[in-house]
Amino acid sequence: MLGKASPDAEDGGIVNVYDKNGELFGGGFWNSRSRTPLRMLLHGREPITEETLTRALERAVAWRRETCRLDETTDAYRVVHGDSDGLGGLIVDRYADVLSLEVSTLGVWQRLPVWLPLLHKLCGTSRHVVRVDDAIARMEGIQPRDLYSGEEVRRARIVENGIQFEVDFAEGHKTGFFCDQRENRLAFSRFVAGRSVLDLCCYTGAFSIYAKKLGGASAVTAVDLDEKAVAMAKRNANINGQMRIDFVHADAFVYARQMLRNGRLFDVVLLDPPKLVQSRGEDAGEGLKKYHDLNMLALQCVRPDGLFVTCSCSGLVSPASFESIVIKSAQRLGRKLQILGMTGPGWDHPFLSTYPEGRYLKVLWARAL
């Protein structure tokens, strides 16, 4: 889709973009070495400048802190959500006094010496962790070094709706903790009082701890294949008191099949697997099949009239497609779902109308009849 670039366009620099009629179309990051040489950040007739990006940072933080007032309920939330905040290639999560950054463009990387102090000032934080995926670093021409690491940050203690969690930046996935499920965790806790709960793909145990501490579930079983995640989940449970949660290190597929053989059913089943559809093409079909099979197994573990909550964090799977997968899973079992609704992440994780793939998290709530 690109015609030609000005010879003075620098890798990592910002460029104005013109349509075939020579009219200003928008602006973005330029990187001739990347497989995506142009990363659009702005659409419209206004020229892009460094001040444009600074204002985008300020707006992003103000939305979370001043409008959403997230500091009143938590000290862990998304500060910058990439393209959806007009800052493609930058994800920033706040965890207490730590900013955890995930960088995926050369343009963002080059601006960190200026942006990091500004972000700390806006957020009232003092430490940071910067991550760059190795494959992306090679593709973008980023040379990882210790320039932006500051002091080594291993862990942080956060509070979310009165519950404490420890975030392990060395062992955790992505930026360390999944803030996007915050509102869903709170909603989930309202439906589990006196009920047995199965939390499949529990990661560091957030849903399980909410269910036990806030929800008053009678029994909670939490399962994950990642041994380190299970260890962190146990640590988080202990931080919040010696609550009884049965943490199991096992594959979700294998564990669900074992429960079915044992004839064990649960009042509430939560299924929150990692991203199963990574890309388009042949691999997508395999990922969709995994969603179908895993939902079939999880649904069989739900007692009649029980609550089934199932999630997908694959941006390439639309809400309609995900809902269809879950419904077909129920139909194959000869069961009906009374669908209560579909939710997504909190308002600190918006998505642009021009970027539907940004609507990655989908949470389907249903009664299994």
Side-chain angles (χ1 to χ4, degrees), residues 323 326-327 337-342 364-367:
E323 183 178 282
V326 178
I327 290 173
L337 295 177
Q338 188 178 54
I339 296 177
L340 307 171
M342 182 180 288
L364 185 69
W365 305 71
R367 289 177 65 207

Side-chain angles (χ1 to χ4, degrees), residues 14 38 93 167 180 190 197 240 242 325 338:
I14 53 175
L38 175 64
D93 283 340
V167 181
D180 52 3
R190 298 183 180 126
V197 175
N240 289 280
Q242 296 295 324
I325 289 170
Q338 188 178 54

Side-chain angles (χ1 to χ4, degrees), residues 13 24 37 44 49-50 57 81 88 112 125 134 165 169 178 187 197 201 242 307 311 348 359 367:
L24 186 60
T49 65
E50 294 294 339
L57 278 175
H81 193 46
L112 287 186
T125 49
D134 290 340
F165 295 99
F169 299 107
F178 294 114
V197 175
C201 306
Q242 296 295 324
L307 182 66
C311 313
D348 51 336
R359 190 179 184 181
R367 289 177 65 207

Side-chain angles (χ1 to χ4, degrees), residues 302-359:
V302 187
R303 283 197 177 96
D305 292 330
L307 182 66
F308 182 47
V309 184
T310 179
C311 313
S312 166
C313 60
S314 299
L316 294 174
V317 179
S318 70
S321 296
F322 181 58
E323 183 178 282
S324 176
I325 289 170
V326 178
I327 290 173
K328 287 178 180 177
S329 299
Q331 289 173 338
R332 283 195 62 186
L333 296 172
R335 298 187 71 173
K336 292 181 181 179
L337 295 177
Q338 188 178 54
I339 296 177
L340 307 171
M342 182 180 288
T343 56
W347 284 11
D348 51 336
H349 291 71
F351 73 94
L352 281 181
S353 58
T354 53
Y355 180 52
E357 294 89 345
R359 190 179 184 181

